[in-house]
Amino acid sequence: MKKILVDSEKCSGCRICESVCSYHKLGNKFNRKKAAIKIVVEGELGENNTPVICRHCKKAKCSEACPVEAFYQDEKTGALVIDQNKCIGCGLCAEACPFGAIYLHEELSIPLKCDLCGGEPLCVKYCVPTAITYEDEQRLGALRREKGVQ
Amino acid sequence: MYGGYKRILKIDLTNETVKSELTDLLFARKFLGGNGFGVKLLYDTVTAETDPLGEDNALVIVVGPANGTIFPGAAITGIMTKSPLNGLFIDSYMGGHFGTELKSAGYDAVVITGKLKNPKFLVIENQSINFYDAEDLWGLETSKTQIKIKEKLRNPEFQVACIGPAGENLVKYASVICDTRAWGRGGIGAVFGAKNLKAIAVRGDGDIEIADPDGFLKFTTESLEIMKKHPALGKAIPSMGSTGSIDGNNSIGILGTRNWQRETFENAWKISGNAMLEQNLRIGHKACSSCIARSAIFWKARCGEYAGIVSRGPEYETLYAYGSILENDNPDSIIAADRLSDELGIDTMSTGVVIAWVMECFEKGILTAKDIDGLDVVFGNHKIILDMIRKIAKREGIGDILAEGVKVASERIGKGSNEFAIHVKGLELAGHTARGLKGMGLGYAVSSRGGSHQDTRPGAERSGKLDRAVIEGKPEHVIKNQRMTTIGDSLILCRRHAEPFFGEYLSEKYVELINLLTGFNLDLDELNMIADRIYTLERMFNCREGITRKDDILPPRFMKEPIPDGPSKGMFMRPEELDMMLDEYYSLRGWDIKTGIPPQEKLIELDLV
Ligand code: SF4
Ligand code: SF4
């Protein structure tokens, strides 16, 4: 399975990823508050940016917390996704995710969570500094290792 | 509505009341957004009698049809007011994410009038507008203020634009800081201070819709690819911001040095982006909303008394203002001065020009050490820069006069010191020559803002695309260039993205982008007309304040003293050259040649009466 790899050091906080995500999910509207990826900004001068996006965990806390078993795995991409019809919008999954990678918005009836865009994540396509990339699972951690070995 | 047009919000601070109305589409088509909306709303709200620091002055905050989208550089938020520095029209633009939040909250413009009884901060969250007590924040620096307000509101998603001590003390060139971005010029911060307004926090949840989504995405994706490959935008700026211009300007002898006594600085290389990179001063960078240039670089001072200080910036203008113009070659001191200026909320450009003027006064014996509170304010001495900034921000000692700006300070000190006070219409000059680039010189002279580099741009002449030494064709160039900056400020787009992609003038590409966003189906003629309407209204604002042709001049130094040495040796702006260019400029603009005032028939043509 391929996963989204995050390199916070490269993230500039431009939030294009949030915008394109919402554009895709909402059908041609922009709304960063309705995106399945979020940039968390920290530091005295806001110098640290961290993209927070679903890890598609193998033993996912979100789906474990779901009282109606609305979560299922997409066969093609391996993404853990929410079944619109089953979801009751309680938000327990959002509370359970250890990374805070599920988002709620007043106007949406089901939580927002990354579904890997069917295998071509738009956020990755538009991230100019390549802070997020879409790579084979075994590449997870490789960046750290490679930097460490040097 | 497409282009994201929604509502115009009106806030009266005196009674703490709020009104909002739907944005009229005819108004939107006439003024486009940003700059256009701002100048019209301000013109109609204030009068010639309005005291810039009085209750009746207005602050007009604006966004435009590009904000909140993914068009690269669609990040800017504008603000307009009657400037306390010179009593004229001022518009100031900052990057960051404030604009996206404001637009998501559903507003194209916010008009703020009146005065709060005691210090407060304003919170705009979608349709709810609230005031919170800010007594405990008064006196705080800008980074702490932002952190505290986000804590109070229990939501880090808020974007907080706030003033520091300089704004509270009504320093006439105080800035407003949001994130690490500034509404820097013309004293916006003092207007906040006079209104007892410590900060504005904004957050929004709304959708932004555009007219032709598929067309827009295609246009944007293609634009993005072109921008990524552009040598400046794709490479130089992400690595060193605008700091590369120090070397560039110095190499052709147009880098303001020693209060513009010279335009070549032997030690410029020490404060250039390349040198700062070599010394490993760069520790990270940050982008504005939808920005691909990530030019906001965090630099860290490494040596001496400044070691450890981190600042977002300095960029080119600050390297000029705290570097070359003071003949200061210590990059660490500039990083520290940049940070201090942001924390106190004061414009780096105006402050640097003021300090340079004091240095020259000292050099010429016009001011003595006693007048300057015992500080050794000599060219090249970086050790006094932080002290001077603090004195000005707190209006301590000599700082009290200097806080009025270089024009007023030189009038009060007298003794010929206005001969080397570097300002146009009271606004201290940015770091671009008025002697070595003839078009830029004309651009400064006629700029609505005064000594700003944002109405007319130096790029075409500096790069050699246009012969910088000739005056022929310059009036036409300046007008076409101003049309571009006016529309860019109305959309609202970052210049660093727009210029490399769209070029120096308006073109069909601008028309295409605007139509995709708004569905207005404009053509280039109508877009030119909109640009002229907006710029002429700025001019009318200033004419209402008494500005005429006689005010469209440059500082005496640029019109009398040739550049003494370096590659641009001998260049200056002869008064007769400026006069010839002004004649042509006014006639091309359709303004009265004798007075520089737009006549009635022009106003009718532009649909302004
Ligand atoms: S697009 Fe990339 S650089 Fe921009 S905020 Fe998202 S992850 Fe960070
Ligand atoms: S939402 Fe959170 S818990 Fe669920 S799969 Fe994604 S990262 Fe794991």
Side-chain angles (χ1 to χ4, degrees), chain B residues 52-244:
Chain B
L53 295 181
E55 244 179 78
D56 49 345
N57 196 7
L59 288 160
V60 184
I61 304 174
V62 288
V63 292
N67 283 95
T69 73
I70 54 163
F71 194 81
I76 311 298
T77 322
I79 190 162
M80 271 133 248
T81 194
K82 187 166 173 178
S83 165
L85 187 58
N86 61 7
L88 303 178
F89 175 78
I90 185 79
D91 49 344
S92 188
Y93 299 87
M94 77 173 169
H97 296 265
F98 192 91
T100 310
E101 291 300 335
L102 185 63
K103 190 154 172 181
S104 305
Y107 304 106
D108 305 318
V110 185
V111 182
I112 301 171
T113 51
K115 179 183 175 170
L116 292 158
K117 273 161 216 79
N118 50 312
K120 289 194 175 172
F121 68 90
L122 170 66
V123 179
I124 301 174
E125 187 173 21
N126 301 309
Q127 272 69 62
S128 81
I129 318 291
N130 289 296
F131 295 90
Y132 289 74
D133 208 74
E135 302 274 8
D136 57 328
L137 303 172
W138 210 249
L140 272 194
E141 299 178 334
T142 59
S143 63
K144 288 206 191 73
T145 303
Q146 295 180 60
I147 291 169
K148 287 226 152 145
I149 288 179
K150 287 180 195 173
E151 276 169 13
K152 272 194 194 186
L153 299 174
R154 297 181 48 240
N155 192 340
E157 276 179 0
F158 275 98
Q159 290 294 320
V160 181
C162 66
I163 55 169
E168 296 166 8
N169 295 331
L170 309 182
V171 174
K172 298 285 170 64
Y173 41 97
S175 60
V176 175
I177 303 283
C178 176
D179 209 333
T180 49
R181 294 287 172 177
W183 280 319
R185 309 232 65 198
I188 310 284
V191 181
F192 269 60
K195 294 187 176 305
N196 271 327
L197 183 60
K198 177 70 178 173
I200 301 173
V202 57
R203 205 193 75 82
D205 289 298
D207 301 342
I208 293 159
E209 284 182 76
I210 53 178
D212 179 353
D214 293 337
F216 171 78
L217 198 66
K218 189 165 165 276
F219 184 84
T220 300
T221 311
E222 287 166 8
S223 312
L224 189 69
E225 287 312 311
I226 296 170
M227 290 184 194
K228 277 201 288 197
K229 292 195 191 93
H230 189 278
L233 188 49
K235 215 166 150 217
I237 293 176
S239 88
M240 58 167 97
S242 56
T243 60

Side-chain angles (χ1 to χ4, degrees), chain A residues 10-17 37 39 51 123 126-129 131-132:
Chain A
K10 283 192 184 166
C11 175
S12 67
C14 68
R15 303 191 158 189
I16 288 180
C17 52
I37 178 167
I39 305 303
C123 55
Y126 283 89
C127 175
V128 176
I132 40 179

